[in-house]
Amino acid sequence: MTVITTSDEMRRAVGSWHAAGDTVCLVPTMGSIHAGHLALIDAARQAARRVVVSIYVNPTQFAAGEDFASYPRNFQADQQAIDAAGGVDAIYAPQTMYGDNHATSILPAGVAQPMEGASRPHFFTGVATIVFKLFQHVPANCAVFGEKDFQQLAVLRQMVTDLDLPINLIAHPTIREADGLALSSRNHYLSAGQRAIAPILYQTLSTCAGEIRAGGVIDETLDTAKARLLAAGFDKIDYLDLRDAVHLATSTDASADDRLLVAAWLGETRLIDNCAIGGG
Ligand code: PAF
């Protein structure tokens, strides 16, 4: 496994693999590699002959006052974890992805507007721009993204369709701790007390999905779920919505594919999660 830090070298490596007839799959990450990332890497390995994992903490997806400075960074530990997992051909770890005079961004609309888009208006512009640039540096056949960031996946699918990008996006189900908490680099921020409360997020989503399946009135069921989260110790809920899985439009007649999506705060830590009404 090699570590590549420049876009020229990265493109050359991918070019030589393509020339040899090998397919390439990219796993974009911001590092702080955990079992969730390793599952994405595993899926990439099933999908293509060559696998590249990118590690870059993208400043443009953090607003002022968010956790860019404190976001966990430990390249050596990440490299060891990826090496131990095996089957990765290259880590792409650019120093920066933006030139001094960078002034061009992708502004996703549509699926990017509700929920995360409303709570963090800068976020999807930063994500779409960096992922577009990564796709230029690593011209892979496919890329794997986790369903934990369900709206991010929808935004990136929209971008790939709208901008005719020749890449196949692969969605991977959320990997969870035994108690149901979705794996996330931000879980490191939780105190012991908050960590004890955190699994209630997914438990509440699962209960809410069951109640909707059983015919509960959607608005009332969502309100009850929000009240449960606040009673359990969550400090604030940015949204808890029922949306269709493709367009992320508000759903009023729940079908099995519709999804509950939530963002809620424990102290200074913002957790997101989602689940399908039909389970998963
Ligand atoms: O999901 C993430 O880790 C990031 O948003 C991504 C896709 C690597 C872009 O920085």
Side-chain angles (χ1 to χ4, degrees):
M1 184 179 77
T2 53
V3 176
I4 296 177
T5 57
T6 68
S7 54
D8 284 350
E9 200 191 337
M10 191 66 251
R11 278 195 203 93
R12 267 201 304 278
V14 175
S16 71
W17 294 331
H18 282 321
D22 291 348
T23 51
V24 181
C25 193
L26 170 66
V27 182
T29 81
M30 297 207 298
S32 189
I33 298 296
H34 52 62
H37 297 115
L38 298 182
L40 304 186
I41 291 171
D42 209 36
R45 223 177 297 149
Q46 316 288 325
R49 173 81 181 76
R50 302 286 187 170
V51 174
V52 178
V53 177
S54 65
I55 297 182
Y56 181 67
V57 184
N58 172 34
T60 65
Q61 67 190 76
F62 295 81
E66 290 188 349
D67 56 339
F68 175 66
S70 58
Y71 197 84
R73 292 166 174 84
N74 189 339
F75 184 75
Q76 259 190 347
D78 288 347
Q79 190 177 359
Q80 275 165 14
I82 293 168
D83 216 4
V88 172
D89 295 275
I91 294 178
Y92 180 45
Q95 285 295 314
T96 180
M97 290 286 287
Y98 299 98
D100 288 344
N101 298 316
H102 178 92
T104 305
S105 298
I106 291 179
L107 291 177
V111 290
Q113 281 168 330
M115 299 184 292
E116 291 299 294
S119 303
R120 306 177 70 200
H122 60 285
F123 177 63
F124 284 128
T125 293
V127 168
T129 304
I130 196 65
V131 171
F132 182 90
K133 285 167 74 68
L134 284 169
F135 287 173
Q136 306 309 303
H137 296 194
V138 189
N141 303 85
C142 54
V144 188
F145 294 89
E147 284 186 342
K148 191 204 141 235
D149 298 291
F150 196 82
Q151 190 178 6
Q152 169 175 279
L153 186 57
V155 169
L156 295 175
R157 282 195 196 290
Q158 184 77 58
M159 177 181 79
V160 164
T161 301
D162 290 348
L163 302 184
D164 308 312
L165 303 183
I167 189 162
N168 177 33
L169 300 193
I170 298 170
H172 193 281
T174 303
I175 304 295
R176 300 183 179 281
E177 302 279 8
D179 59 13
L181 177 64
L183 295 195
S184 163
S185 306
R186 289 191 167 101
N187 293 350
H188 294 296
Y189 299 154
L190 298 170
S191 68
Q194 291 167 338
R195 175 63 188 81
I197 296 170
I200 295 171
L201 192 63
Y202 182 60
Q203 288 159 19
T204 304
L205 281 188
S206 302
T207 304
C208 185
E211 288 167 355
I212 290 173
R213 274 199 307 275
V217 176
I218 291 171
D219 283 347
E220 287 172 16
T221 313
L222 296 178
D223 285 346
T224 304
K226 287 180 199 165
R228 281 186 191 131
L229 289 176
L230 294 172
F234 281 85
D235 295 290
K236 192 177 128 191
I237 299 162
D238 281 349
Y239 57 84
L240 197 171
D241 285 7
L242 179 67
R243 302 259 168 179
D244 87 81
V246 178
H247 306 291
L248 301 186
T250 302
S251 175
T252 47
D253 56 343
S255 72
D257 285 345
D258 285 349
R259 283 194 106 89
L260 289 164
L261 300 103
V262 67
W265 293 82
L266 276 171
E268 299 294 300
T269 304
R270 185 174 184 274
L271 299 177
I272 62 170
D273 206 343
N274 66 87
C275 79
I277 290 301

